[in-house]
Amino acid sequence: MTMPSPKRYIAHLDLDCFFVSVERIKDPSLDGKPVVVGGTPTGRGVVASASYEARVFGVRSAMPTAATLRLCPNLVIVRGRFGDYTKYSNKLYQRIMELAPIVERASIDEMYFDLTGCEVLYNNDLPGFIRKLQKIVWDEFHLPCTISLASNKVIAKIAAQTVKPAGTIYVPHGTEQEFLAPLSVDAIPGVGKKTGEVLRKKGFHLISDLQKTSREKLVRVLGKHGIWIHEVANGFGSDELSTEHERKSIGNEETFAKDIADKNELQRILLSLTEEVCSSLRYRHLKGRTFTLKLRYSDFQTITRATTIEPTDDDSIVFKTMKELLEASYTRHLPLRLLGVRASHLVEEEQLELKLFPEDMKRTSMLNAVDKIRKKFGDDVIHVGRQ
Amino acid sequence: MKFTVSSNELQKALAKVSGVVPSKSTLPILENILFKLTKNTLQLAATDLEVSMAASIDVKGNDDGSIAVPAKRLMETIRALPEIQLLFNADVSSNKIRMITDMGEYVLMGESSEEFPTIPQVKGDEKITLTGEMLKNMIHRTLFAVSSDELRPAMTGVLLQVKDGDLRAVATDGHRLVRIQYTGLKQPKLKWDIIVPAKALNLVSRSVDNETNTVSVDGTHVQFTFGTTTLTSRVIEESYPNYESVIPLDNDKSLAVGRDLLLAAVRRVALYSSSTTHQVRCSIRKNELRVMAEDIDFGGEAKEKVPCDYSGEELEIGFNSTYLIDILSHLDGDEAEFKLGTSVRAAIITPAHQRPNEDVLMLVMPMRLNT
């Protein structure tokens, strides 16, 4: 039985230069100065978070710290402790849980919450509530943030980016297309450098250009990714929040355009799913202990198989495990229509055991380097091989 | 091929080799046990291509020959039989096997012995002799620390090093390490450095009795011989990590504590640790060791005090309780000695009283405490 679903109100809270803000709480003399949190400029450290004063000089996240000093000689570089950020993020999350029924923690400095059904509670003025909430976050935590409100997660996310820092924005139901139309295609999450270029080459500069074209055409240009881009451009997106309880997992799955039986092809897809999950674990500073493989046969029979290993975020370890699960569980002589990989029993990286052998530490830096290269040049340019 | 044997004797011999038989193999022939009859001796052999085992028993032979017998059905049949004389009769041209007892007859299809892989034999005289007890103890105290991470194949086995008349057995998974050193081998000139797969050692410890055993090695294989049973395994041809370099030499804080007391305390407190990190916190001050754990997700916490002998600076150090429990339960004697440095430095744990001719050292990396 399904009920007609009410209008959804999804808010997105994005902490402005979060790591820097925490450092400023610890040391108020940093207020108003160009500050970055990141590695030492003499080593090969990179910027993890940059204050808006520093961004004026062109300093951005993931830049080598050494390069930022050339852009902004007065820049203050703070080493930062990840544990502190987790603590502040946890406290804020607890507070938001008191105010909204469903909260999803998207990352250490971002969360979504579902305010559907809370209209009466907040005086039938949800846009007013998000402004109040912004003040609460500042008064109680001294953390600047941007909050948006829209009908789904992706519109909320895009909207927040347009008013950062310290902004609030409401995109009313039915005005999504209108709101998106003038924005650049780069505003869509998932449109990176590469996709952006492809789109512009084909004459799609603004989201309005995407709205005018057909889904089929976008699929021809971008492949499967085109379906998602077309949906977002037209204001559709998920309003399902994964709460903290479920959020204890990170996963990725792919439904194939055509059913696949070829084992090599399936392994190739499995590798790319694994890489995305691992990269996402590293981004959130988490490691997974349980890894689950999901496969769906062409007749829709769906099988999930899980295995528990030592906590890891290492592509090759997870891929090896997933490959074994696939070999063991893909037993019917039917092609598959879907494969999925999920990591759960997540462990915060900071709390993990220290390693005995220095070479294990080197592997960690190697994986981080791989992530940076992927971020810059695209996912397919580099894969982690066997040692 | 034809012989008569007591069902009990046959069952005992099967039990010795059957541990090797893979339950599911891409090579179906491996799910068989090879029977080879030479006069009054029946040799049974099984292999998974990495590890092979062979055992011999006396039978009343009639007609020499060899055949591969399906392991599962054979063992189920023999296990279900009472003590009874059994006539085993195989037609090696058709591979049909008949087993006849006073009660009845069982027919099964075997495979040609020619299909069965050759069992490698270690030749040469590079061997050491150990008592069964020593071998069992060595395996018991190292195997738990072996890694299951197949991306680090070297660590999935136990390193056996023979040098200057000493034998060392080393196991590590990158978080903890065990090193057992035996002095006074009778072969002072031998020099080995081999990594024996965990599976092989598991099987050895299951089958070894208290007799004297020999361990022999050639370039690619290691062989354990006990009585009429032999186990041959491929060695892991990788270089072992430089374990010596990670054993701290200057841990200056000594803590002596009752092993059972601490083990029991950690076991209880660990029930309240986070189910993902298993972290316990040890807070050590003059003659007092406190073990604490908390599980933020479920709001539980536990703490216990354990009497100890300690006079160093106060120290807070976190451990994965699983590793600590493993180490304490594999350590000998009533008293354990910890040598500690800082809260991020490996802790050395040794029994306060070593056995004669033996030196045991265990190492565990701490966990970062989030203060």
Side-chain angles (χ1 to χ4, degrees):
Chain A
M1 186 180 77
T2 51
M3 305 255 293
S5 50
K7 275 188 188 174
R8 306 296 296 245
Y9 288 97
I10 308 292
H12 177 58
L13 186 153
D14 191 344
L15 291 159
D16 300 327
C17 57
F18 174 49
F19 296 176
V20 172
S21 304
V22 173
E23 295 304 329
R24 282 177 169 163
I25 298 171
K26 298 189 331 200
D27 177 6
S29 77
L30 297 173
D31 279 350
K33 289 183 188 158
V35 181
V36 296
V37 171
T40 49
T42 44
R44 271 179 279 173
V46 295
V47 173
S49 171
S51 77
Y52 284 86
E53 293 83 352
R55 293 187 202 190
V56 174
F57 292 92
V59 175
R60 295 284 179 273
S61 290
M63 261 183 194
T65 324
T68 61
L69 277 176
R70 287 194 287 276
L71 293 169
C72 175
N74 295 328
L75 190 68
V76 184
I77 298 166
V78 186
R79 278 287 272 168
R81 277 196 48 199
F82 195 76
D84 293 341
Y85 309 140
T86 313
K87 239 191 297 180
Y88 276 91
S89 174
N90 289 347
K91 279 193 205 156
L92 178 65
Y93 169 67
Q94 295 299 340
R95 183 73 175 101
I96 301 295
M97 292 265 280
E98 294 167 9
L99 299 168
I102 304 172
V103 185
E104 170 183 330
R105 251 173 131 169
S107 71
I108 193 162
D109 58 356
E110 275 175 276
M111 52 189 103
Y112 293 96
F113 39 100
D114 191 341
L115 294 171
T116 314
C118 300
E119 296 90 329
V120 179
L121 187 64
Y122 296 119
N123 303 324
N124 285 315
D125 180 20
L126 291 179
F129 169 68
I130 63 166
R131 284 192 296 274
K132 260 184 226 153
L133 182 60
Q134 189 186 41
K135 194 166 172 306
I136 291 174
V137 175
W138 175 254
D139 291 345
E140 293 181 16
F141 298 92
H142 268 268
L143 293 172
C145 69
T146 297
I147 309 179
S148 56
L149 182 66
S151 54
N152 64 51
K153 280 161 74 175
V154 64
I155 302 300
K157 166 107 185 160
I158 296 173
Q161 294 306 315
T162 63
V163 293
K164 264 181 98 61
T168 58
I169 182 169
Y170 169 47
V171 182
H173 291 84
T175 67
E176 291 87 356
Q177 291 198 31
E178 199 183 315
F179 163 75
L180 293 168
L183 301 178
S184 151
V185 292
D186 302 307
I188 298 176
V191 175
K193 211 172 162 183
K194 212 168 119 189
T195 315
E197 269 168 29
V198 173
L199 284 173
R200 269 184 288 276
K201 258 188 210 151
K202 297 280 175 185
F204 303 108
H205 296 273
L206 302 179
I207 297 184
S208 57
D209 301 327
L210 297 173
Q211 289 168 349
K212 283 174 218 146
T213 191
S214 73
R215 173 169 144 145
E216 288 64 33
K217 181 149 186 217
L218 276 182
V219 172
R220 275 199 298 280
V221 175
L222 295 173
K224 240 192 83 193
H225 199 36
I227 303 177
W228 152 258
I229 306 260
H230 189 262
E231 285 193 356
V232 174
N234 287 291
F236 298 103
S238 166
D239 52 18
E240 291 295 317
L241 267 56
S242 26
T243 55
E244 182 73 346
H245 190 65
E246 303 154 36
R247 174 45 64 198
K248 292 191 170 160
S249 75
I250 288 176
N252 194 3
E253 55 183 53
E254 186 177 336
T255 305
F256 315 137
K258 243 167 91 182
D259 296 350
I260 299 173
D262 178 48
K263 294 225 161 119
N264 290 331
E265 178 70 7
L266 289 170
Q267 284 197 6
R268 200 192 52 72
I269 293 164
L270 194 64
L271 176 65
S272 88
L273 289 169
T274 304
E275 285 176 337
E276 281 170 52
V277 169
C278 287
S279 163
S280 169
L281 283 170
R282 291 193 288 270
Y283 175 72
R284 293 162 209 266
H285 298 269
L286 294 169
K287 293 189 178 197
R289 187 182 284 264
T290 300
F291 290 88
T292 308
L293 174 81
K294 177 171 168 186
L295 53 95
R296 181 170 294 152
Y297 287 101
S298 54
D299 65 357
F300 282 87
Q301 187 202 6
T302 306
I303 294 175
T304 56
R305 291 280 180 276
T307 184
T308 296
I309 54 177
E310 265 203 55
T312 185
D313 57 9
D314 188 319
D315 299 13
S316 14
I317 296 175
V318 179
F319 178 58
K320 194 181 159 292
T321 315
M322 289 293 107
K323 210 169 74 174
E324 283 169 8
L325 281 185
L326 179 65
E327 275 160 18
S329 49
Y330 183 25
T331 47
R332 297 175 64 204
H333 293 282
L334 262 187
L336 295 184
R337 54 177 292 120
L338 173 145
L339 266 183
V341 172
R342 177 162 295 279
S344 54
H345 287 116
L346 306 180
V347 186
E348 271 173 34
E349 191 176 61
E350 266 243 327
Q351 293 183 345
L352 281 182
E353 282 96 344
L354 297 157
K355 303 274 175 61
L356 260 174
F357 296 100
E359 53 265 39
D360 290 343
M361 293 297 194
K362 280 187 204 147
R363 189 154 174 91
T364 310
S365 5
M366 187 272 286
L367 288 169
N368 287 334
V370 168
D371 285 344
K372 274 179 221 151
I373 294 171
R374 286 205 191 123
K375 202 166 171 191
K376 199 160 172 187
F377 300 105
D379 284 344
D380 286 331
V381 299
I382 186 164
H383 299 284
V384 178
R386 242 195 87 142
Q387 281 170 298
Chain B
M1 181 193 181
K2 200 167 168 186
F3 61 86
T4 313
V5 67
S6 125
S7 60
N8 272 10
E9 289 302 307
L10 184 59
Q11 193 187 341
K12 274 188 220 155
L14 284 171
K16 283 185 184 161
V17 301
S18 61
V20 181
V21 179
S23 53
K24 223 179 183 181
S25 172
T26 42
L27 213 58
I29 185 72
L30 301 182
E31 291 164 30
N32 291 270
I33 292 176
L34 180 69
F35 276 25
K36 187 175 172 197
L37 181 69
T38 320
K39 292 190 180 136
N40 287 326
T41 305
L42 174 71
Q43 196 196 44
L44 297 85
T47 180
D48 68 358
L49 298 180
E50 292 292 318
V51 183
S52 313
M53 278 189 93
S56 300
I57 46 166
D58 292 334
V59 298
K60 213 168 138 245
N62 274 359
D63 187 6
D64 285 3
S66 55
I67 191 160
V69 192
K72 190 162 176 268
R73 174 154 290 182
L74 173 69
M75 286 194 303
E76 282 169 352
T77 311
I78 302 296
R79 214 179 294 138
L81 281 175
E83 160 72 61
I84 197 168
Q85 284 294 308
L86 178 108
L87 172 68
F88 185 100
N89 189 351
D91 174 6
V92 291
S93 57
S94 67
N95 296 330
K96 196 175 204 174
I97 301 165
R98 272 170 206 280
M99 295 189 289
I100 303 161
T101 70
D102 283 348
M103 297 185 297
E105 185 180 320
Y106 316 93
V107 178
L108 66 165
M109 288 305 294
E111 303 263 357
S112 160
S113 61
E114 282 162 28
E115 303 286 317
F116 203 82
T118 322
I119 305 286
Q121 287 297 318
V122 172
K123 295 188 188 82
D125 46 7
E126 297 241 313
K127 52 178 84 158
I128 55 169
T129 316
L130 303 171
T131 66
E133 193 196 350
M134 199 171 152
L135 192 58
K136 244 186 190 164
N137 271 323
M138 181 187 88
I139 295 171
H140 173 66
R141 286 178 295 169
T142 47
L143 216 49
F144 77 93
V146 164
S147 166
S148 54
D149 175 3
E150 283 168 41
L151 288 168
R152 303 287 297 271
M155 292 192 194
T156 62
V158 172
L159 173 72
L160 292 186
Q161 261 182 334
V162 173
K163 204 176 126 187
D164 301 330
D166 290 350
L167 166 67
R168 278 182 175 195
V170 182
T172 181
D173 65 356
H175 298 296
R176 54 208 165 142
L177 183 146
V178 180
R179 186 192 70 190
I180 306 179
Q181 188 166 351
Y182 298 94
T183 50
L185 283 187
K186 297 206 174 74
Q187 297 86 347
K189 284 192 190 134
L190 275 187
K191 199 172 177 315
W192 291 352
D193 241 322
I194 53 163
I195 307 172
V196 186
K199 181 180 179 186
L201 291 174
N202 238 323
L203 288 165
V204 170
S205 77
R206 256 200 271 162
S207 348
V208 78
D209 43 33
N210 286 335
E211 294 164 26
T212 308
N213 306 276
T214 58
V215 186
S216 38
V217 167
D218 65 15
T220 52
H221 288 83
V222 57
Q223 185 170 308
F224 296 83
T225 310
F226 19 93
T228 58
T229 310
T230 59
L231 180 144
T232 314
S233 168
R234 202 189 280 273
V235 297
I236 299 174
E237 292 180 75
E238 298 271 339
S239 55
Y240 205 74
N242 185 359
Y243 69 91
E244 287 288 2
S245 69
V246 300
I247 302 176
L249 300 172
D250 50 353
N251 278 4
D252 53 353
K253 304 182 181 70
S254 299
L255 166 85
V257 59
R259 186 181 69 94
D260 287 343
L261 285 180
L262 180 59
L263 179 58
V266 173
R267 280 204 171 117
R268 285 187 293 265
V269 170
L271 300 173
Y272 292 80
S273 67
S274 145
S275 61
T276 43
T277 67
H278 305 290
Q279 187 180 82
V280 291
R281 173 192 296 255
C282 294
S283 165
I284 311 163
R285 59 183 72 175
K286 192 171 166 37
N287 298 340
E288 186 184 281
L289 166 61
R290 283 180 204 227
V291 187
M292 294 168 277
E294 58 175 348
D295 185 352
I296 298 167
D297 291 343
F298 296 97
E301 60 174 83
K303 45 188 158 220
E304 282 200 30
K305 265 189 225 170
V306 183
C308 69
D309 181 3
Y310 182 73
S311 53
E313 278 169 48
E314 288 187 12
L315 180 69
E316 293 256 309
I317 187 165
F319 291 108
N320 180 327
S321 55
T322 320
Y323 295 164
L324 206 53
I325 290 169
D326 267 351
I327 285 194
L328 288 170
S329 49
H330 286 91
L331 206 67
D332 280 333
D334 301 334
E335 198 176 315
E337 250 177 32
F338 284 68
K339 284 256 184 296
L340 304 161
T342 65
S343 64
V344 292
R345 172 83 66 87
I348 296 175
I349 306 163
T350 55
H353 306 286
Q354 303 271 9
R355 300 185 196 200
N357 297 330
E358 194 185 270
D359 181 63
V360 175
L361 175 144
M362 302 199 182
L363 198 79
V364 62
M365 268 323 257
M367 286 176 91
R368 265 199 197 98
L369 288 167
N370 44 344
T371 42

